[in-house]
Amino acid sequence: MSYETQPTASHYVNGAYLEDSAGAAIPVIYPATGAEIARVHAATPAVVEAALSAAVEAQTLWAEMTGRARGRVLTDAARIMRERNRALSELETWDTGKPLQETLVADATSAADALEYFGGLAASLTGEHIQLGEDWVYTRREPLGVCVGIGAWNYPTQISCWKGAPALACGNAMVFKPSETTPLCALKVAEILTEAGAPAGVFNVVQGMGEVGSLLVTDPRVAKVSLTGSVPTGRKVYAAAAAEMKHVTMELGGKSPLVVFDDADLENAVSGAINGNFYSSGQVCSNGTRVFVQRGIKEAFLARLAERVKSAVIGDPMDEATNFGPMVSQRQMEIVQRYIEKGIAEGARLVAGGKRLEREGFYLEPTVFADVTDGMTIAMEEIFGPVMAVLDFETEDEVIARANDTAFGLSAGVFTRDLSRGHRVIGKLRAGSCFINSYNDAPVEAPFGGVKASGVGRENSKAAIEHYSQLKSVYVRMGDVEAPY
Ligand code: NDP
């Protein structure tokens, strides 16, 4: 890593890098080689305290600034991120192993979109006036206070900004804890926010594992917790936040259905299934990993899919020709390998991939199983890797019932040329982020989030404002006050 790219210490607190080597060492492993490329230290209680007290102090001043002034800081940060897109994308690739071909267009750029969007909204966050005869009520949209963001490892730059940008636009301060697997990128986001004029303490980053997250979540000074992670972690964090009646946003896992009717455009449906299963080596929460294909198109779909998957360019993520990289860690690779073994053992038909690549790093082949049935483990559990399960179906009613028969509800997609059917089916699928004749688009303008076990609240769009602010209503009496005695 070049000097310019690499963060210079483990934490970013009160507007500057901060080190405390008393915290447990966390090695940063480059997934393409398995080599240690950096080392950070978990936050000690002293670092957590410094971050929280800096955030408390900064938040009051930040909230007193006009929305326009706050917005300018965010949009300036977006501009700096775009100018440094290449260096930030390389850092994202070092941190996650995702190919540069992806990180150049999906990470710092998506983070910049969020900073720009919420920077633009900051000046227009208003309350309302409600006339009641002579009296009236007005509402003030107020910040929540100090918010904690906790990130997963698949999109470290994007996640820090999907949480940080709306939080800051509304006048909150944030303490963000990245996943221990990908600790580097959020530090650069903090550095850029400072450079763009964010007052010290408004956005802090502390490293650590679950214990550090847990210290942050339970601190009485914290008003809100936004987590991106798995359902089991979500349950723990939600419960801890509920004990103190804190606000939450939970962006959790999924096992989303992608339904391909036999009138679909075959090439587009295959593209949707590839994007919805193999982008970022399948490490995307909203992936459509249960691909329901109607019997009439099934064999054509599988043949074309197997052919196209063969042409994936798997290799060095820093080579811009590579479009399929390693898994984020050895641990995640082994989890996915166990699912592949289960798929074979339970009788699914392997039509592509299935193996680890014979090279250094944590590479698995893009893998497709056909003849998957609803009760198989690979059709029920979130794998979070490049494993697509193709299931057959006959009728619309049948596929809707089967697609909904899951505890999750993050995303759903439908491919069909019959647009009334597309809207009808999407209307009946219980999921938060849906697609018709597409898959996995996540523009900042659209609400993003799940139903059922997949989460609570929405990120992005105007909807996120509701989750990072609260309304105060003020009744104003114009005449005398009547009282019974
Ligand atoms: P985890 O749930 O393991 O961890 C998420 C974060 O929570 C990490 O930073 C983790 O720290 C932290 N954490 C763990 N335990 C606690 C605790 N008790 N209190 C506070 N924080 C805690 O998820 P992964 O990082 O493995 O990410 C993969 C998961 O994330 C998948 O299930 C995926 O579906 C989901 N995801 C959801 C998205 C969405 O928007 N819906 C987007 C991306 C991923 P550490 O790991 O450092 O110990």
Side-chain angles (χ1 to χ4, degrees):
M1 255 187 291
S2 70
Y3 171 74
E4 187 206 4
T5 318
Q6 190 161 1
T8 56
S10 299
H11 317 288
Y12 197 94
V13 171
N14 207 17
Y17 278 106
L18 175 69
E19 192 55 89
D20 181 352
S21 51
I26 302 174
V28 185
I29 306 296
Y30 181 42
T33 61
E36 182 175 324
I37 51 158
R39 187 172 274 231
V40 297
H41 291 273
T44 55
V47 169
V48 172
E49 178 52 39
L52 283 171
S53 46
V56 168
E57 197 170 322
Q59 192 267 323
T60 314
L61 298 171
W62 178 242
E64 280 169 3
M65 286 166 59
T66 62
R68 193 156 39 80
R70 288 198 302 271
R72 199 179 309 127
V73 170
L74 300 184
T75 47
D76 280 355
R79 179 185 45 74
I80 298 171
M81 287 195 97
R82 290 194 205 289
E83 282 166 9
R84 296 190 196 152
N85 184 42
R86 179 159 286 271
L88 294 168
S89 304
E90 285 172 3
L91 185 68
E92 176 94 19
T93 294
W94 285 115
D95 224 359
T96 62
K98 291 185 294 181
L100 198 54
Q101 191 188 99
E102 286 188 16
T103 57
L104 281 169
V105 298
D107 292 285
T109 53
S110 148
D113 287 350
L115 290 163
E116 197 167 60
Y117 179 85
F118 289 105
L121 273 186
S124 47
L125 303 177
T126 56
E128 62 178 344
H129 169 105
I130 304 154
Q131 195 67 43
L132 295 165
E134 275 200 338
D135 294 352
W136 47 288
V137 169
Y138 66 95
T139 63
R140 292 163 50 102
R141 184 166 289 284
E142 297 188 341
L144 300 173
V146 173
C147 301
V148 161
I150 301 179
W153 39 256
N154 54 349
Y155 283 82
T157 308
Q158 181 192 82
I159 292 172
S160 66
C161 287
W162 280 19
K163 298 185 189 310
L168 268 50
C170 292
N172 304 285
M174 177 161 273
V175 179
F176 185 81
K177 190 202 83 67
S179 163
E180 84 190 78
T181 311
T182 53
L184 303 179
C185 296
L187 292 166
K188 295 306 271 193
V189 171
E191 200 187 306
I192 287 171
L193 279 163
T194 299
E195 201 177 326
V202 159
F203 187 81
N204 308 276
V205 176
V206 298
Q207 308 295 345
M209 319 205 196
E211 308 94 74
V212 171
S214 178
L215 265 185
L216 292 169
V217 171
T218 50
D219 192 282
R221 289 166 288 183
V222 170
K224 182 205 166 101
V225 181
S226 175
L227 170 84
T228 296
S230 62
V231 174
T233 304
R235 287 190 209 284
K236 275 192 246 163
V237 172
Y238 197 174
E244 305 267 349
M245 220 56 88
K246 296 180 203 276
H247 297 248
V248 296
T249 299
M250 293 283 144
E251 295 294 353
L252 308 176
K255 189 74 197 175
S256 302
L258 195 174
V259 180
V260 180
F261 285 97
D262 55 16
D263 68 342
D265 178 297
L266 179 67
E267 219 45 41
N268 284 333
V270 170
S271 298
I274 288 174
N275 292 342
N277 281 272
F278 300 136
Y279 201 72
S280 302
S281 296
Q283 303 164 114
V284 180
C285 51
S286 49
N287 271 356
T289 47
R290 288 183 297 147
V291 182
F292 289 93
V293 182
Q294 204 164 19
R295 288 247 158 81
I297 199 178
K298 175 187 162 184
E299 289 310 327
F301 179 90
L302 285 172
R304 188 66 186 123
L305 179 65
E307 195 176 10
R308 286 183 54 185
V309 165
K310 266 195 226 121
S311 64
V313 182
I314 310 178
D316 174 8
M318 289 295 175
D319 178 348
E320 278 183 55
T322 297
N323 54 28
F324 188 91
M327 307 300 301
V328 76
S329 64
Q330 170 139 1
R331 181 173 169 269
Q332 189 61 21
M333 179 186 71
E334 287 168 359
I335 291 172
V336 178
Q337 282 177 304
R338 283 196 288 277
Y339 277 110
I340 294 172
E341 283 159 20
K342 266 193 194 150
I344 295 168
E346 291 179 11
R349 173 163 60 102
L350 190 62
V351 290
K355 290 196 292 294
R356 180 178 181 181
L357 262 63
E358 285 182 17
R359 55 172 292 159
E360 58 178 5
F362 314 129
Y363 286 86
L364 289 177
E365 291 175 326
T367 298
V368 179
F369 281 106
D371 303 336
V372 177
T373 54
D374 297 349
M376 289 182 186
T377 310
I378 58 166
M380 294 193 297
E381 296 182 10
E382 183 182 46
I383 299 173
F384 225 60
V387 181
M388 184 193 306
V390 179
L391 304 96
D392 312 345
F393 76 94
E394 303 263 2
T395 70
E396 184 177 312
D397 286 346
E398 171 209 338
V399 79
I400 290 168
R402 289 171 58 201
N404 283 334
D405 189 14
T406 166
F408 298 106
L410 186 49
S411 291
V414 176
F415 275 85
T416 176
R417 282 199 178 92
D418 177 346
L419 273 185
S420 1
R421 174 158 67 187
H423 293 290
R424 185 170 65 235
V425 171
I426 279 295
K428 289 180 182 168
L429 292 177
R430 292 203 291 277
S433 300
C434 297
F435 310 91
I436 296 177
N437 292 331
S438 190
Y439 206 87
N440 260 355
D441 317 71
V444 67
E445 295 87 347
F448 181 84
V451 303
K452 301 198 283 181
S454 292
V456 174
R458 291 291 176 270
E459 296 201 300
N460 290 342
S461 78
K462 284 182 264 181
I465 297 301
E466 299 299 327
H467 299 287
Y468 281 102
S469 62
Q470 56 198 340
L471 289 176
K472 174 183 280 176
S473 67
V474 182
Y475 190 103
V476 181
R477 184 173 295 282
M478 300 299 283
D480 294 333
V481 178
E482 278 182 32
Y485 49 85

